């Protein structure tokens, strides 16, 4: 491909009628004649449809015949058609970044269909603006990087192991780093899993055995991630064993599956004070060990330390189902034990969960709604007996229950290592302390930083089926770059002028992708493959030492001033 | 002929430009006055670019990006907001109407809102009248002020402050002390004031040698204040004494090499 930066611009302008969409409003031939008068333009023509195969051939012919080194299509929006026209340029030997578009349909003829003359004037202005920018365009190359076909999974719970198995099954090497001495995470402490009522240990043993017997998976227990350097495809990981020893390895992708512990409600409803006030997790352990002595009356309190007005404002999502599950297990064990669940709002979403709720009702579990403003009270009496007072929100009545076991449903909360890990990986945490995805709808399991993904309760409270779904999703996402083996990254990146940079470091903190670091000389350096091209650093740099490729200050300025009919001074 | 304002719009690719596309796709008509420059993010808008666009006679400048929380680049729009806030403070000192600059959030689904916005801004500018900097005979004083504002927007100290505003609010200053938005705003105003006046002095002294008294009169500023700035500017090597007339030294601007 020819290098044209130093060459005098030879711009070709192709103006599209888009059938009657543009041509019916804008006087296209007049715009063509106008384009011919602009500095740098050596050729201009109109097409019925520039995006048709005929139109594309015309671009290619024009490039060859008139020795064009820059191309402008004035038609629709670059958001849909730029890739097509860029492709035509590339095929004809013009770097695709030497292409520019003027949007004379979506933002001109369609929006000004009742003012054809003004629309024509605006179309001329838009072409002039595109020409002004085009004259200053530079060809760019998209850097290519190799991707190491291996993944680091941080956390060996159900989510991490699911991802690891899925990736290993596709032939990728996987490292699982687990802080605890054994795999399993939260499932090690659970008894039954809703809605199937399968033994958690049965489920766990099966997956742990699969992981251990998979040759593609290397399990590092009693190990934590100490340092991560690099970028997608090329991460360098340092891990530390409990005995202090370290190890290094390279991976192409990283999956955060660190899970979440439950909230210990010390000081709430007598927890920590009375022995028979326990959490759901402690109840699971008693049920699991067959240690639950027959209680006469069990009271479960929902939303303990969750959905608060401040602090933990979120719903932990799993507590309602957990309470219903454990209430039923108690009923199965001791049918004449009274079980009451005091709830604020019951979340039994979906078909199976709703069914579970009804089954619990059929088994005699009682549900009582309380209000956030009027929370229940737990009072200790004789012989360790407890009294629970609650305002029944639907009856609008104060009720009093004797109880010998109060079970508090507490939320999953931020992992104690989350903050540290977020700093090591340079990925964000949300206001609730959980890892924060790139976009809730568009990129729900990616981090903004390429090559790093999140699943399971590290991301937000969720149950086993949801964690498994997300873990499989993450495995699919992480497999994409590893299967491709090579990646092309953004060419529109920031570049630092070393001579102007004072090393103030402002840009380092601004970059949402951690793409800028200081080099050995103390000046900022952009890791191009990490840069996403937003340009915030360029707009901010105190020394104005950063330039944004393809949207340089000079190019933007030229385009803006051309709108006013002025040239850059 | 009725006055038709010229609006230059700097729109982010992902939300606002897409919103403008949608207005067209939905055939929603709006005034033809806007000319759009597509950027990847509203955070790319360097204050210098806005001031140059205004200095060259745009009747209005619209900066539009994704709604807060929806930025394609996570926090770019927050940075845009900080810059436009700073710009408005600067503009307020120049005599050019602050209303000529607008920052708006338009999502990709808000075609109707975009059209409304352009109509509203166009109407607003029509009421305001042409920019004093438009046309062949721009208002000399306002132009000098806006050019001083532009030079201020290029100033290291001010840019550093705006660039660190968010981290300072979030993480405290370099000493780890908490900084409130109010305090930061105060510092920002002080820096803008000082640097803006210095740039005014510099640009005036560049045209002809001037005394403290002349400058004080031209800038409508207390002579003690002017003198204080001159001391700083001499120390920074920005101006020097050209000659002494009577007892008053006349100051002239020195060429500052990049």
């Amino acid at each position: 491909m020819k290098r044209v930066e130093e060459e005098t611009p030879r711009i070709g302008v192709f103006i599209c009628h888009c059938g009657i969409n543009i041509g019916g409003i804008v006087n296209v031939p007049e715009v063509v004649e106008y384009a011919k008068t602009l500095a740098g333009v050596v050729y201009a023509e109109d097409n019925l449809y520039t995006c048709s195969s005929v139109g594309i051939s015309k671009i290619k012919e024009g490039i060859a015949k008139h020795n064009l080194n820059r191309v402008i299509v004035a038609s629709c929006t670059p958001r849909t058609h730029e890739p097509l026209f860029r492709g035509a340029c590339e095929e004809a030997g013009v770097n695709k970044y030497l292409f520019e578009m003027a949007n004379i349909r979506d933002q001109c003829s369609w929006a000004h269909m009742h003012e054809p003359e003004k629309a024509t004037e605006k179309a001329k202005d838009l072409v002039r603006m595109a020409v002004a920018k085009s004259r200053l365009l530079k060809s760019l190359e998209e850097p290519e990087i190799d991707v190491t076909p291996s993944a680091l999974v941080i956390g060996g719970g159900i989510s991490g192991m699911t991802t690891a198995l899925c990736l290993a099954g596709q032939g990728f090497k996987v490292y699982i780093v687990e802080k605890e001495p054994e795999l399993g995470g939260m499932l090690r402490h659970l008894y039954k899993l809703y809605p199937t009522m399968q033994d958690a240990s049965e489920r766990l043993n099966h997956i742990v055995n699969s992981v251990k017997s998979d040759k593609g998976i290397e399990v590092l227990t009693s190990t934590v991630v100490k340092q991560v350097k690099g970028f997608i495809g090329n991460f360098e990981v340092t891990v530390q064993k409990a005995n202090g020893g370290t190890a290094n390895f390279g991976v192409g992708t990283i999956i955060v599956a660190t899970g979440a512990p439950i909230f210990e409600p010390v000081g709430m409803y007598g927890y920590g004070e009375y022995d028979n006030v326990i959490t759901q997790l402690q109840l699971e352990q008693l049920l699991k060990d067959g240690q639950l002595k027959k209680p006469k009356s069990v009271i479960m309190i929902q939303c303990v330390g969750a959905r608060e007005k401040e602090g933990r404002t979120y719903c932990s999502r799993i507590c309602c189902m957990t309470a219903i599950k454990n209430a039923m297990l108690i009923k199965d064990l001791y049918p004449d034990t009274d079980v009451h669940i005091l709830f604020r709002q019951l979340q039994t979403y979906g078909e199976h969960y709703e069914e579970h709720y009804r089954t619990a009702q059929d088994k005699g579990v009682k549900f009582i709604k309380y209000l956030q403003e009027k929370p229940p009270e737990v009072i200790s009496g004789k012989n360790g007996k407890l009294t629970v007072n609650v305002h029944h929100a639907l009856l609008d009545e104060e009720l009093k229950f004797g109880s010998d076991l109060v079970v508090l449903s507490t939320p999953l909360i931020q992992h104690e290592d989350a903050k540290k890990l977020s700093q090591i990986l340079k990925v964000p945490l949300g206001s609730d302390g959980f890892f924060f995805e790139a976009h809730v709808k568009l990129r729900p399991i990616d981090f903004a930083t390429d090559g790093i993904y999140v699943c399971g309760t590290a991301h937000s409270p969720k149950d086993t089926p949801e964690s498994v779904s997300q873990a499989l999703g993450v495995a699919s996402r992480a497999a994409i770059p590893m299967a491709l083996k090579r990646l092309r990254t953004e060419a529109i990146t920031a570049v630092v002028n070393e001579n102007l940079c004072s090393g103030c470091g402002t840009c380092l903190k601004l970059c949402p992708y951690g793409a800028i670091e200081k080099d050995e000389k103390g000046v900022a350096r952009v890791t191009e493959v990490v840069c996403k091209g937003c340009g915030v650093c360029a707009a901010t740099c105190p020394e104005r030492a950063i330039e944004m490729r393809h949207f340089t200050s000079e190019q933007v300025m030229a385009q803006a001033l051309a709108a006013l009919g002025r040239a850059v001074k | 002929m009725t006055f038709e304002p010229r609006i230059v719009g700097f729109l982010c690719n992902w939300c606002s430009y897409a919103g403008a596309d949608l207005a067209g796709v939905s055939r929603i008509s709006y005034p033809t006055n806007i000319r759009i420059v597509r950027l990847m993010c509203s955070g790319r808008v360097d204050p210098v670019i806005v001031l140059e666009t205004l200095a060259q006679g745009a009747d209005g400048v619209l900066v539009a990006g994704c709604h807060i929380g929806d930025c394609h680049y996570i926090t770019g729009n927050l940075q845009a907001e900080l810059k436009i806030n700073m710009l408005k403070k600067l503009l307020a000192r120049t005599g050019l109407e602050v209303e000529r600059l607008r920052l708006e959030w338009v999502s990709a689904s808000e075609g109707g809102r975009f059209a409304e916005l352009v109509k509203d801004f166009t109407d607003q500018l029509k009421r305001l009248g042409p920019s004093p900097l438009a046309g062949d005979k721009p208002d000399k004083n306002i132009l000098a002020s806006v050019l001083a504002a532009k030079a201020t927007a290029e100033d290291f100290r001010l840019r550093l402050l705006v660039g660190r505003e968010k981290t300072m609010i979030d993480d405290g200053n370099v000493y780890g002390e908490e900084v409130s938005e109010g305090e930061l705003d105060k510092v920002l105003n002080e820096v803008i004031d000082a640097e803006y006046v210095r740039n005014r002095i510099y640009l005036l002294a560049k045209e002809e040698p001037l005394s403290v008294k002349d400058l004080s009169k031209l800038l409508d500023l207390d002579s003690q204040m002017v003198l204080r700035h001159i001391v700083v500017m001499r120390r920074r090597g920005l101006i020097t004494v050209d000659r002494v007339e009577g007892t008053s030294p006349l100051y002239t601007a020195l060429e500052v090499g990049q």
Side-chain angles (χ1 to χ4, degrees), chain A residues 302-358:
Chain A
Q302 299 304 105
C303 295
V304 176
R307 298 173 67 222
E308 293 176 316
K309 291 229 163 81
E310 273 170 45
R312 282 178 301 274
T313 53
Y314 59 90
C315 166
S316 177
R317 206 171 160 86
I318 60 160
C319 326
C320 287
M321 285 303 293
T322 303
I324 290 171
K325 173 190 73 176
N326 288 335
M328 284 200 287
L329 288 170
I330 293 173
K331 274 288 192 188
D332 290 345
L333 214 51
Y334 307 117
D336 54 346
T337 292
D338 286 332
V339 184
H340 286 89
I341 296 179
L342 314 186
F343 68 94
R344 278 171 51 199
Q345 262 153 7
L346 213 56
Q347 301 289 339
T348 55
Y349 48 92
E351 192 187 353
H352 298 297
Y353 292 2
E354 189 69 15
E355 211 174 277
H356 233 48
Y357 171 42
R358 290 186 201 286

Side-chain angles (χ1 to χ4, degrees), chain A residues 1-5 86 90 93-98 138-145 487-494 528-529 531 549-550:
Chain A
M1 203 164 291
K2 57 185 172 186
R3 285 275 175 185
V4 295
E5 272 91 297
R86 277 180 166 182
E90 290 228 295
V94 172
N95 182 281
K96 68 183 191 185
Y97 291 93
L98 297 170
K138 296 230 154 79
S139 58
L140 300 175
E141 299 301 331
E142 291 166 354
E144 273 202 24
I145 49 167
L487 286 181
R488 271 190 165 204
T489 61
E490 187 59 71
I492 301 172
T493 54
E528 284 183 16
V529 296
C531 177
R549 292 190 173 102
H550 209 61

Side-chain angles (χ1 to χ4, degrees), chain A residues 39-312:
Chain A
V41 175
V42 294
Y43 181 70
E45 67 168 43
D46 52 341
N47 317 109
L48 187 58
Y49 288 103
T50 313
C51 64
S52 66
S53 55
V54 177
I56 296 294
S57 316
K58 295 286 256 177
I59 294 178
K60 292 187 201 166
E61 274 169 32
I63 290 172
K65 200 165 157 194
H66 302 280
N67 199 22
L68 304 177
N69 56 24
R70 280 163 183 80
V71 173
I72 292 169
V73 173
S75 58
C76 47
T77 174
R79 298 180 67 257
T80 55
H81 280 64
E82 193 175 58
L84 176 75
F85 297 131
R86 277 180 166 182
C89 291
E90 290 228 295
E91 282 171 35
V94 172
N95 182 281
K96 68 183 191 185
Y97 291 93
L98 297 170
F99 170 78
E100 183 65 22
M101 266 179 106
N103 187 343
I104 61 165
R105 188 187 70 181
D106 302 42
Q107 296 179 11
C108 192
S109 66
W110 275 352
H112 312 311
M113 54 203 311
H114 306 298
E115 299 176 281
E117 276 166 31
K118 282 184 176 175
T120 301
E121 285 314 302
K122 181 170 172 177
K124 287 182 192 171
D125 287 357
L126 294 176
V127 168
R128 185 173 67 241
M129 290 163 72
V131 169
K133 181 169 182 183
S134 170
R135 283 198 287 262
L136 300 168
L137 287 175
K138 296 230 154 79
S139 58
L140 300 175
E141 299 301 331
E142 291 166 354
E144 273 202 24
I145 49 167
D146 289 320
V147 180
T148 309
S150 62
L152 163 67
V153 176
I154 309 171
I158 185 77
S159 305
M161 288 191 289
T162 303
T163 302
L165 275 173
C166 184
L167 285 171
Q170 296 176 71
F172 304 113
K173 164 95 187 166
V174 183
Y175 300 88
I176 298 181
V177 171
E178 170 56 53
K179 176 174 95 146
E180 299 292 325
E182 55 181 309
L183 291 169
M186 182 59 94
L187 250 60
R188 287 193 298 137
H189 309 291
L190 302 185
Y191 176 37
K192 298 276 186 185
L193 298 175
Y194 66 78
T196 56
M197 291 305 202
Q198 185 189 21
D199 265 333
S201 55
E202 187 188 314
R203 173 81 198 256
L204 195 56
N205 289 340
H206 178 75
I207 192 166
V208 168
N209 289 337
S210 307
V211 166
K212 284 184 175 164
S213 60
D214 197 311
K215 290 197 171 60
I217 304 178
E218 193 172 328
V219 179
L220 303 161
T221 48
S222 300
T223 304
V224 293
V225 174
K226 195 81 191 142
Q227 192 183 54
V228 173
K229 284 185 178 174
F231 44 86
I232 184 170
N234 301 272
F235 292 109
E236 294 163 44
V237 182
T238 307
V239 295
Q240 187 167 36
K241 286 282 210 184
N243 63 21
T246 59
N248 301 299
F249 50 86
V251 294
T253 55
I254 297 175
I255 290 102
V256 175
T258 45
I262 69 145
F263 171 60
E264 287 277 328
V266 177
M268 300 173 84
Y269 301 104
Y271 182 83
E273 200 177 333
Y274 317 133
D275 289 344
N276 45 356
V277 177
I278 61 173
T279 62
Q280 291 287 359
L281 198 60
Q282 286 167 317
L283 174 62
E284 296 248 357
Q285 196 67 50
L286 289 174
L287 289 165
K288 189 176 182 174
D289 299 343
Q291 297 286 318
L292 181 69
K293 291 194 198 99
K294 184 181 175 180
K296 274 187 74 178
S297 163
V298 180
I299 304 281
M300 295 186 177
I301 304 176
Q302 299 304 105
C303 295
V304 176
R307 298 173 67 222
E308 293 176 316
K309 291 229 163 81
E310 273 170 45
R312 282 178 301 274

Side-chain angles (χ1 to χ4, degrees), chain A residues 77 79 82 103 106-107 110-112 118 122 125 448 504 506 510 513 534 539-542 551 553 563 566, chain B residues 4 6 13 17-18 21 24 29-30 32 34-36 38 43-44 56 73-74 79 83 135 159-160 163-164:
Chain A
T77 174
R79 298 180 67 257
E82 193 175 58
N103 187 343
D106 302 42
Q107 296 179 11
W110 275 352
H112 312 311
K118 282 184 176 175
K122 181 170 172 177
D125 287 357
C504 73
T506 305
L510 272 184
Y513 307 98
C534 65
T540 311
C541 176
F551 292 92
S553 294
R566 304 205 183 210
Chain B
E4 289 294 346
R6 290 232 158 199
N13 178 62
Y17 192 91
D21 278 348
S29 291
Y30 56 85
T32 58
I34 192 165
R35 303 288 180 268
I36 293 167
R38 183 174 67 110
R44 171 68 186 96
Q56 297 261 4
Y73 303 100
I74 307 164
Q79 293 299 327
K83 292 188 173 70
R159 291 178 73 92
L160 188 78
R164 296 205 172 166

Side-chain angles (χ1 to χ4, degrees), chain A residues 470-489:
Chain A
Q470 208 179 19
L472 292 170
V474 158
S476 304
R477 289 295 284 170
I480 294 169
M482 296 196 288
L484 287 171
K485 297 192 181 78
R486 278 180 84 74
L487 286 181
R488 271 190 165 204
T489 61

